Each structure stands twice: as C-alpha cells, then as structure tokens.
Amino acid sequence: MGEPVFGVLGPLQVRARGGGGPLRLGGPKPRAVLATLLLQPGAFVSVDVLTEVLWPGGAPRSAVANVRTYVRALRRALTAGGIPTDGLRTLPAGYALDVEPGDHDLLLFEHLLDGARVARDRGDDGTALRGYDTALALWRGGVLQDLPSSVVWDPVLTRVEELRSLAVDECLQVRLRLGDYPPLVAGLRTRLAEDPLREDLWQMLVRALHGAGRVTEARAAYAQAERVLAAELGVAPGAPLRATGEEVNGHAARRRTAPAAPVCQLPMDVPDFTGRATEIAALEELLSGAGRRPVVAVVSGPPGSGKSTLVVHVAHRVRHLFPDGQLFVDLGGMSDRPREAADVLAEMLRGLGVIDNAMPAESGERAALLRSRLAQRRVLIVLDDAATGAQVRPLLPGTGGSAVLVASRRRMPSLPAQHCPLGVMRRDEARALLGRIVGEDRLGGAGADADTDRVLTGCGSLPLAVRIAGARLANRPGWTVGALAGFLHDERGRLDQLQTGELEVRASAELSYRYLPEDAATAFRAFGRLPDEAVPGWLVTAATGRPGEPHRALETLLDEHLVEVVGTDPLGLQRYRMHDLLRIYARELAEADPPDLWRERGLRTVDALIALARCANAAMPTRFLGVLGEAVPLPGPAAGLARAVRARPIEWFESERRVLVAAVESALRLGDPARAADLAVELAGFFDMRGYYDDWLRTHRLVLDAVPDPADARSAALLRNLGQLHLYQDRYADALAAFDRSREVFAGLGHRAGEAVAGLGTGSVHRVTGDPDAALTSFTEALRASRAAGDRHCEAVAHNAIASVWLERGDPDAAAPWLARALALSRDVGDRHREAQVRRRIAVLHELRGEPQVARAELERALGIFDELTDTHCAAYVQQSIGELCLRQGDPGRASALLVGALAVQQQLGDRRAEARVACLLGELHHATGRKQTARRYFHRSLSAWRRLDVRDQAELVDAKLRSLR
C-alpha cells in the first residue's frame, strides 16, 4: 500500500503523486487552511471558521480576500505536485475538500480500524492484528503537531486522539489472545508509562508476562501495580486485577468477589405463555439484528390483547443478546396523566448508573445523556403502555447496538420503528391458553369442545378475557366448562363489548370483580385510591379502613390475577401492583363509594405516611437543617412497622419515595393542604441526602401553590427548604427571596428556631455571591435566634458559618474561637456530620497559618467521617481540598489523582460551581507540567461551566488562561 497523499496524523504532509516527496505548501496560513479542510473532508467549511483558525485574536479587514489568496496558492501547489484539485470546491461563503479514503491518512486509518474490528468480532484475531498494525503505522506523531493549535480543531483532534488510544488498547488485547508476548509487553509498558493508573493495562501486563513464562516478572509487575495504586489513589487493586495477581502468585483458588451484574428490570415472564409464535419469531429476528445501529419495534393493539405480556416474554427470550442490561419502564399511557419524558429519562438514566444530582434539568439534555450512555452498549429497553410517538421518541438511542420494544394501543407511524400489530388470538391459540390455565382434562368430555368454543367466543379470543375466565374456572373445581359458558351467555350484553375498544377490558374486569369476597372486593377498590406505584400490603389495609392483616384479601386478588407481586423491599415487605387497566376500573368503583368515606380513608393513608416519615426522620444518621414536625403515635397498620423503620430509615424512605410524593399530591386533591405540607416538610431531609432534587422541587411547589399567602410555620418551613434547593442549584436570587420570606414568617410567629435556620440560608447566599458583610450580619442574627430557641445544633452551624466568613477574609485568628465553639457544640450534640464540616474549616485555618501538615490531618479526619456516613458529596469536597493542598505543596501527581476523583463525583452530583473550579485547577496543573492539550480540555470545561453559571469574572480568568495556551 502506497503512502496517502494527505497526512494529518503527525505533521501536516502532502505527498506528490507517483511516489514523489513532500510538497511545499507555502507559509503557515495556507497550511492552516488545508489542515482545517482535511479535518472535515467533504464537509462545508465556512470562511468565518477559516478566519477564526487563521486569526484567533481578531481578523483584519482583508480577511476574506486573504483566505481566497491562500486557497489559490493551495491549488497551485497541489497542481504542481500532480494532485488533481477538482475536489477543492469553492462554495457560497466557504469551501470543501473531497478526498478519497485511500488518499487521506485519517480516513484510511478509520477504514482500516473498522476492518480490524470486524475481523476481531468474527474471531479472526490474526487478520485483526494485521489490520490494527497497519492502521496504527499511519501515525507519525500527534495530529497536526507542527501547526499552532486552534479551538476550532479541538473537538476533531480530541476524537481522533481518543480513537487512536482505543485502537492501541484493542490491538494489545488481540495480541494477548494470540500470545504475541514480546511486542505486547513492550507496548503495555509504554502505555503504562503514559497512564500508570490504568488497572486494565496492569492486568494485561501481568497476564502477558505470566503467559510468556516470565513468572517472576509477572509477580513483580503485580506488586508494582499495587504500590502505584496505593501511592497515587490510596486504593487496592480492583477485583479483576486482584484475581490475576492471585493467579500468578499461586492463589487462584482464593475466593473472589463476583463482578456486579448488569441491570435487569424485566418483570417476571408469564409461566404459561401460549401462542403468538409468528409474532415472537418476527420480533426475535428483528432484535437479533441490533448491532451497528439500534433497532426499535412497536407492538400495538387493543387493550387486553396481550401486548405487555408479549414484549416481556420476548425480552426474556433475547436477554442473552443484550449483555449490558435490560431496562423496563411503564409509560402510563392509559392513565389520566401519561408520564412525562423528563421523568422517564431520569428513571432510565438511574438504571444505567446516573445519580440524581448528576441529572440534567432539561428533558433534551437528559435525552442526549441517555443516547451517550447507550452509544457503546447493548441494552434492551422495554417501554410499556406508551401513549404517543412524541412520548417515546426522546427515549430512543441514537447509535450503538441497543434495541427498544414498545407496547402501545397506537401504531405510532411517526417512529423510526418496525411495527407489529397485535389483534385477538387465533382460536387454536386461545384454546391452548385456556387449557394451560384450567388443565386440559377440564376441557375434555362429551360436549366440552362446543362449550369451550362458546367460552372463547364470549371472550372474543382476547387474551386478558381468556385468562380471567380461565382463572374463574380454575379456582372453582365444581364448575364445568358448560357452566362458565352459560355465565358468559348471561352477561352477553357486557361481554359482547370484549370485541371492541376499551370496554373489552372493563367487562373482563367486572367479570372477575363480581365474585370477589367482600374483603378482597374492598381491597380491589382501595387500589383505585392508592398511587399508581408498587405499594406494601399495610398501605392497602390503611386505605380500606379495615383492621387486621391484608394478606387474605391480597392473596385472593393474586389468585384472580388482579394484582401481582413485583418484589420485596429492603424492609422485607412484599410490594403489590395492579395493572393500569384494572386500576382504572377499580377507580370507577371507588368513586361510587360515599365521598365522605372516600376522603376519610384517603386522609387516613396520608396520616399513616406522615407518622412513619417522622419516625424515620428521628432515626436518620444526619440532622437536617430544617424545621420538622414532632413525632406522633403510629396509627393502625403502620404501628407494626415502627421498629423496622427506625432500624433502616433511609431504606424506608427509598422504598416509599414515589408513594410519598404521590401522597402529597393526593392530600392536595382531597382538599387538605396542611397535611400535604406536613408530609412534604418531612421528605426534604431525605431528598437533600440523596439528591432527589426533582421530587423536592415538585412537592414543595405544589403545596406552596395551593397556599396563596403562606403565613404559618408549615409554609415557612417549605420556603426555607425551597431556598436551600435553589442555593444548591445556583439560583441565588430565588434562594434569597425564599429564605427572606421564610424568615419573615417565622419571625412574625415568634418561631425562633425557624428564624435561625432561615437566616443561615440567607447568609449562605450572601457568602456565595461575594457579600461577606451581609453574610456576617445574617449569620450573627441566626446565632442569636438559635440561642434564644435553645437549638444547639443550629448554634453549631451558625458558629461554623461565621468562621467561614473570617476565613474567606484571610483572618484565621478571628475565625479560631468560632471554630472551637462550633467543634465543641457538634461533639456535645453528637452530630458527626457537622463535626466533619467544622474540621474542613479548621483545615483552612491551619493552612492560612502556614501549617499545611496540620491542615492535611484535619482534612483526613473529616474525610474519614464523611466516608463512614457514606456522604459522597461532602467527601468529594474534602478530597478537592486535599488535592489543592497537595498542589500548593508541589505534589502534582497526588494532587492530580485527588482532583480527578473529586471532579468525577462533582460531575455526577451536578455541582457545576465545584466542577468549574476543579477543572480549572487541573488545567493549571497540566499546563505547569507541559501537557498543554490536556490543560486546554480542562480549561474549556471550566470556562463552559462558569459561563453557564453566568459568573463572568471567573469565566474571564479562565478565558485568559486559554488564550495564553494559544
């Protein structure tokens, strides 16, 4: 293979046709024009873009004419070298350069890399290795390393460099499988010199040395990996590397920790699934084709046709094709409020490992993050009960090998999908389904075939109706098929509707409900008043208003297939859920009950949840800086949960989170905003700990909107909590307004404790926005209020807050007494979380005094407490502080590891201010150590974050650092 004509994988190079040497292209500006066109081969490049590349500090008036001159010079140089210039096209307001893949080293590299990967995927490692070697041999250095860098090029350069790095790693893996050890070991040592914290590279090196018979060196390499990881990150090797180390050290039999399994959210497959062979075969063939691009299939049909059952059954059958996991989401298309795309995206992203604090606020950003997470994975997504194509479209992957199965009443022709319409079952399939439910022996006997046909005709061969009718027959051994057929004949006026529209399911539901015992019928109607979530049995009992255990009624509903068990929560309680179609019917029945009775039972349910929430808050490991309600006796069926809730309060909140949020909305619908406020206030501390900001905002906004003129303690507490959320999310004006209004209301009520916590919030806004005098005033007033209220926990917070202002002013002596008192108070009240926060400030004090070792010790103690309390967010802040301290002490290696770890957590948590600061620090670190390309990426990241926050002075400082790199 001859050398490509155009080369960007190294210094810019153009070779003459016919094996000639490199062409001279003139000065740096014509070369920069050509480089820009080659980085986007065949694509339109505007004159404005070329101007930015050529004159980043500001273009002259003659810029457009100069660009034309440079392009003409390029044409002359290419023609002189025997290179046709037909591909260099002049377009309105710009240019394009068409290049054959074999003539451009970047295109050729990507082509060869694709071929190598195809060979690797089909198991031809020898061909794959030759392809990788040929592709990587095209690289002569860094991309365009002889030209001044440009921000215009940065995205392409970053992508190509990352592609090269990935290709090198893939090539090493192929060599390892082939046993090509000498070059593999050399390549791995080179890669580890560049990135010594890559455990996968260490694992390959140990395996390669061991495979080559160099056992002593393999053991030494593993020992070196242990030392490097301990020194740089303070961690032991992960499970895969540790297992390899045990193997080479002769401890292969030692017990190893199993790797975490991919997420699987699929509901249980129906054990007696019958029929639909044609549809199953078509869907399996379609889903098996997912690979280079995603596949979408929509199963549509009338209610009760078995859409959900079919897609779940098919999903279980093809699980092995999607090793990276399976997601399941109920879109609530038939409910009164189909689920919003933003909420569904958040649920799916959580399933893929994204935590709530890292969740983008906008639906479009969440959809983009989902597409990014799926791009390199093979995940199966099942979307049940979809309402419209517009609801589904944001949930689809953009690239990669994932697949989506959608169940809906509508065909959704607007979706880029294969459509599988689902009608009633064939008569033979419906008969087989009925036989599997009741037993084939029940369908035998004289005249039974005719009776079976009458039953199937009455059911319209609709799967849900067949299953309900079969369940009635199976649970009544004394009935014959003829008796069931006669019953269906008597109900013909209703059951005829099984053949059309939504009335089909209503008639089937009525058929099942009619013969329920009274306690089961009451429980069935109770599901119509409960949230559309999986609920524990005790909550069903509370909603019925009947004392005793719910098991008997629920077991009857389970036998009748009217509810299902969807799992067991962390407290060991079974969770029950009713199909949405049946829930609609249950709601109609519940609405027929006397309104006063319905309201009384609904509020009784809310009261039970409020009491349990207060019980859980009293046992939480951290103290929420807010105003919570007083504990009350647990009513009715909730009383038996007290011990379990106190033992595992966080787990209880987590299990009931959606039920609790729905209960706030339910209390408002029942016309009791006071109860809704009580429950919302109790939820804020948990939402704060776990970062459930969407739920926090929704519950508090709903209640406050229902109270036009908030003037009581409940409303003031909600406003304070809302101010805290605004502060977290950098909405400083909204935060200040909420804190100030809360403080006014608390002050008017003489509620000194509430006035103190609201004042602390006001001071925090002033401190963050750069007004230390106002912050100090607010903190001092809050201290007086907390002392008057006798709230020592709040008093500790106030002392720490006042100290923070003096530290920011650079006055450690003024801060010292405040910190000493804050530490003493935190210890006295047993608040270890607050103690750790105070120690963070004490570390700043010692650093200001020139005592970095003492500061480091305090930070390590704070980090230990946060780790023990599993507070990832606060631990990341301390890790950042230690990293900054190492950086100032001249330890860039340790600083880099700490700051990178802190940045990852802050990005997950969505703390944009901290992310901007740490990214800038990393940019400075890499700039100082000569890694300018890496520094540029971190500075860009920091600049983008500061601009989103609209912090102009910081953005200008980072922009100046970027300009200095250019």
Side-chain angles (χ1 to χ4, degrees):
M1 178 185 300
E3 289 196 46
V5 173
F6 299 100
V8 298
L9 303 181
L12 178 64
Q13 177 177 281
V14 180
R15 302 187 68 86
R17 292 283 190 184
L23 294 182
R24 294 181 58 84
L25 299 174
K29 291 202 178 327
R31 292 169 60 81
V33 170
L34 178 60
T36 306
L37 295 171
L38 287 172
L39 288 177
Q40 304 177 64
F44 170 74
V45 178
S46 69
V47 173
D48 289 341
V49 169
L50 291 172
T51 301
E52 174 64 22
V53 172
L54 298 173
W55 298 281
R61 293 183 179 179
S62 59
V64 175
N66 290 348
V67 170
R68 294 196 191 104
T69 300
Y70 302 144
V71 173
R72 285 197 297 270
L74 282 175
R75 288 186 190 276
R76 287 195 300 269
L78 295 175
T79 301
I83 301 171
T85 58
D86 296 346
L88 182 53
R89 295 179 286 128
T90 301
L91 304 171
Y95 301 90
L97 178 59
D98 298 324
V99 186
E100 293 295 327
D103 288 341
H104 189 338
D105 62 356
L106 175 55
L107 296 178
L108 183 58
F109 168 71
E110 293 177 334
H111 173 73
L112 292 169
L113 183 57
D114 287 341
R117 286 171 170 171
V118 169
R120 176 202 61 186
D121 293 343
R122 68 169 181 261
D124 187 355
D125 285 341
T127 302
L129 181 57
R130 289 190 293 274
Y132 281 117
D133 283 342
T134 305
L136 292 169
L138 293 170
W139 284 77
R140 298 168 286 109
V143 181
L144 299 174
Q145 67 180 35
D146 62 330
L147 295 180
S149 62
S150 169
V151 292
V152 173
W153 298 347
D154 281 350
V156 179
L157 267 57
T158 300
R159 180 187 70 83
V160 176
E161 293 283 1
E162 289 176 352
L163 192 62
R164 177 194 191 185
S165 179
L166 184 59
V168 171
D169 290 347
E170 292 172 0
C171 182
L172 293 172
Q173 291 164 357
V174 172
R175 284 192 193 280
L176 181 61
R177 287 197 297 272
L178 289 172
D180 189 11
Y181 296 125
L184 173 61
V185 170
L188 285 167
R189 292 200 186 280
T190 300
R191 294 287 282 158
L192 283 167
E194 299 170 354
D195 194 348
L197 303 181
R198 287 271 303 272
E199 290 194 41
D200 58 332
L201 297 179
W202 281 112
Q203 184 185 13
M204 280 199 287
L205 178 61
V206 174
R207 290 177 59 193
L209 290 168
H210 190 251
R214 297 154 65 177
V215 178
T216 302
E217 292 180 67
R219 292 173 177 172
Y222 178 73
Q224 184 182 2
E226 283 187 315
R227 289 194 301 272
V228 169
L229 294 172
E232 295 295 330
L233 300 180
V235 299
L241 176 55
R242 190 167 60 251
T244 301
E246 291 172 354
E247 181 179 350
V248 301
N249 282 290
H251 307 297
R254 184 180 297 172
R255 184 178 179 181
R256 298 167 186 164
T257 303
V263 63
C264 179
Q265 299 177 347
L266 297 179
M268 181 183 296
D269 194 8
V270 176
D272 56 5
F273 187 93
T274 305
R276 304 297 194 189
T278 302
E279 292 87 349
I280 290 172
L283 289 170
E284 286 186 348
E285 181 180 3
L286 179 64
L287 296 173
S288 65
R292 290 291 181 181
R293 60 180 181 178
V295 169
V296 182
V298 176
V299 178
S300 57
S305 57
K307 303 176 295 296
S308 300
T309 304
L310 176 63
V311 298
V312 170
H313 181 68
V314 171
H316 278 282
R317 289 173 64 99
V318 300
R319 272 189 63 191
H320 65 283
L321 299 176
F322 301 94
D324 296 321
Q326 304 86 41
L327 301 177
F328 179 88
V329 182
D330 188 339
L331 298 180
M334 292 197 65
S335 65
D336 295 335
R337 290 173 51 192
R339 298 186 64 186
E340 297 292 336
D343 295 335
V344 176
L345 286 164
E347 179 179 335
M348 294 170 70
L349 287 168
R350 290 187 198 107
L352 293 173
V354 178
I355 64 175
D356 270 63
N357 284 9
M359 202 72 65
E362 298 298 326
S363 178
E365 294 177 351
R366 291 180 178 180
L369 180 56
L370 177 69
R371 292 192 295 271
S372 175
R373 285 296 175 109
L374 293 174
Q376 301 299 325
R377 301 186 185 186
R378 289 180 63 86
V379 176
L380 177 62
I381 302 170
V382 180
L383 304 175
D384 190 25
D385 193 17
T388 64
Q391 184 189 32
V392 171
R393 186 176 292 275
L395 314 179
L396 302 180
T399 58
S402 296
V404 184
L405 262 176
V406 184
S408 173
R409 290 176 295 167
R410 300 181 178 89
R411 178 177 168 78
M412 302 186 179
S414 63
L415 289 180
Q418 295 290 328
H419 297 273
C420 177
L422 200 65
V424 297
M425 300 181 80
R426 296 199 312 266
R427 180 57 63 95
D428 61 328
E429 293 180 339
R431 189 192 184 287
L433 175 60
L434 185 63
R436 293 197 66 173
I437 295 172
V438 305
E440 285 292 337
D441 56 326
R442 296 283 298 277
L443 300 184
D449 286 345
D451 289 337
T452 300
D453 285 341
R454 290 169 57 205
V455 170
L456 297 177
T457 298
C459 293
S461 293
L462 195 71
L464 180 59
V466 173
R467 186 169 293 280
I468 293 173
R472 302 239 53 81
L473 185 59
N475 291 331
R476 286 158 178 77
W479 279 19
T480 64
V481 179
L484 177 60
F487 173 77
L488 293 176
H489 177 75
D490 292 339
E491 295 290 333
R492 182 177 56 188
R494 295 172 181 172
L495 293 176
D496 282 346
Q497 299 181 53
L498 286 170
Q499 301 174 8
T500 58
E502 292 182 2
L503 294 179
E504 300 167 346
V505 176
R506 183 176 294 110
S508 297
E510 183 177 359
L511 173 66
S512 185
Y513 174 78
R514 177 186 290 265
Y515 294 98
L516 288 176
E518 179 58 27
D519 60 343
T522 303
F524 182 88
R525 295 196 304 275
F527 274 93
R529 294 189 292 268
L530 290 172
D532 186 12
E533 302 290 344
V535 298
W538 72 266
L539 195 61
V540 180
T541 299
T544 63
R546 293 173 176 265
E549 295 294 326
H551 302 304
R552 182 175 177 179
L554 287 170
E555 286 296 328
T556 301
L557 296 181
L558 285 168
D559 290 342
E560 297 294 329
H561 300 285
L562 297 177
V563 297
E564 60 178 340
V565 175
V566 295
T568 302
D569 63 30
L571 272 65
L573 304 176
Q574 284 190 320
R575 314 287 294 191
Y576 299 87
R577 186 162 191 166
M578 180 176 283
H579 190 282
D580 287 342
L581 300 176
L582 294 172
R583 191 183 298 275
I584 291 171
Y585 180 63
R587 187 176 300 121
E588 292 176 356
L589 295 173
E591 289 172 352
D593 288 339
D596 291 344
L597 177 64
W598 185 19
R599 185 174 188 275
E600 176 192 347
R601 290 178 176 174
L603 292 178
R604 186 183 295 121
T605 303
V606 176
D607 285 340
L609 291 170
I610 293 172
L612 281 171
R614 289 177 175 172
C615 177
N617 273 324
M620 290 286 275
T622 60
R623 167 79 180 272
F624 176 60
L625 186 62
V627 178
L628 300 175
E630 296 293 330
V632 295
L634 294 175
L641 295 178
R643 178 177 297 179
V645 170
R646 292 190 190 101
R648 307 185 73 177
I650 299 175
E651 290 84 352
W652 181 81
F653 271 124
E654 192 68 68
S655 298
E656 305 297 349
R657 176 171 65 91
R658 292 185 179 180
V659 172
L660 291 163
V661 171
V664 173
E665 301 173 9
S666 176
L668 291 174
R669 286 195 301 271
L670 293 171
D672 198 324
R675 279 184 168 94
D678 282 341
L679 185 53
V681 165
E682 298 301 325
L683 298 179
F686 170 69
F687 291 159
D688 188 4
M689 170 181 282
R690 286 298 176 92
Y692 289 127
Y693 292 170
D694 289 349
D695 290 340
W696 189 348
L697 182 63
R698 176 174 180 77
T699 53
H700 283 53
R701 277 293 187 202
L702 283 173
V703 179
L704 286 171
D705 288 346
V707 184
D709 185 22
D712 61 359
R714 293 185 180 96
S715 299
L718 290 168
L719 284 167
R720 194 228 70 87
N721 296 344
L722 199 57
Q724 188 70 35
L725 178 59
H726 290 322
L727 178 60
Y728 286 161
Q729 298 186 324
D730 308 310
R731 295 190 294 267
Y732 302 121
D734 292 339
L736 189 60
F739 284 135
D740 284 346
R741 177 58 180 149
S742 172
R743 187 169 53 172
E744 290 173 8
V745 174
F746 276 131
L749 297 170
H751 196 305
R752 298 292 277 166
E755 190 179 350
V757 295
L760 288 169
T762 299
S764 296
V765 177
H766 289 313
R767 184 178 62 80
V768 171
T769 55
D771 191 348
D773 292 335
L776 196 58
T777 299
S778 296
F779 290 149
T780 304
E781 293 174 354
L783 177 59
R784 285 196 293 267
S786 63
R787 284 173 174 167
D791 189 337
R792 303 181 74 209
H793 169 81
C794 190
E795 188 179 345
V797 177
H799 277 84
N800 194 38
I802 292 171
S804 71
V805 177
W806 290 112
L807 291 173
E808 289 186 3
R809 287 176 167 176
D811 192 342
D813 293 335
W818 297 103
L819 288 171
R821 182 59 177 159
L823 184 61
L825 284 168
S826 299
R827 286 175 167 177
D828 288 346
V829 299
D831 189 342
R832 300 199 67 223
H833 192 276
R834 184 57 50 192
E835 177 188 342
Q837 294 284 18
V838 175
R839 291 194 180 280
R840 283 186 62 208
R841 303 293 185 196
I842 293 174
V844 176
L845 180 146
H846 285 296
E847 189 176 5
L848 289 173
R849 286 177 170 174
E851 301 166 344
Q853 297 304 322
V854 181
R856 175 74 173 269
E858 289 292 344
L859 289 172
E860 295 289 356
R861 293 174 73 176
L863 184 60
I865 294 174
F866 287 136
D867 285 341
E868 182 181 336
L869 296 175
T870 66
D871 189 333
T872 308
H873 197 178
C874 289
Y877 282 126
V878 178
Q879 193 172 336
Q880 173 187 337
S881 298
I882 298 173
E884 291 184 56
L885 193 59
C886 291
L887 185 60
R888 287 190 288 271
Q889 289 181 307
D891 186 359
R894 177 67 172 155
S896 177
L898 288 164
L899 292 174
V900 167
L903 182 64
V905 174
Q906 287 154 356
Q907 183 182 15
Q908 285 183 330
L909 295 170
D911 191 334
R912 292 179 295 174
R913 181 174 288 270
E915 182 182 349
R917 174 170 172 75
V918 177
C920 184
L921 288 169
L922 283 166
E924 293 172 353
L925 185 152
H926 286 290
H927 186 194
T929 53
R931 295 188 286 271
K932 292 189 177 182
Q933 188 69 19
T934 304
R936 183 178 293 108
R937 287 200 299 270
Y938 279 120
F939 282 141
H940 273 300
R941 184 170 177 177
S942 177
L943 179 61
S944 176
W946 286 126
R947 284 175 173 170
R948 289 198 304 272
L949 291 168
D950 197 26
V951 182
R952 298 182 182 179
D953 56 340
Q954 292 294 331
E956 290 172 359
L957 289 173
V958 178
D959 191 41
K961 297 177 187 295
L962 264 173
R963 286 197 300 270
S964 70
L965 283 175
R966 298 172 194 160

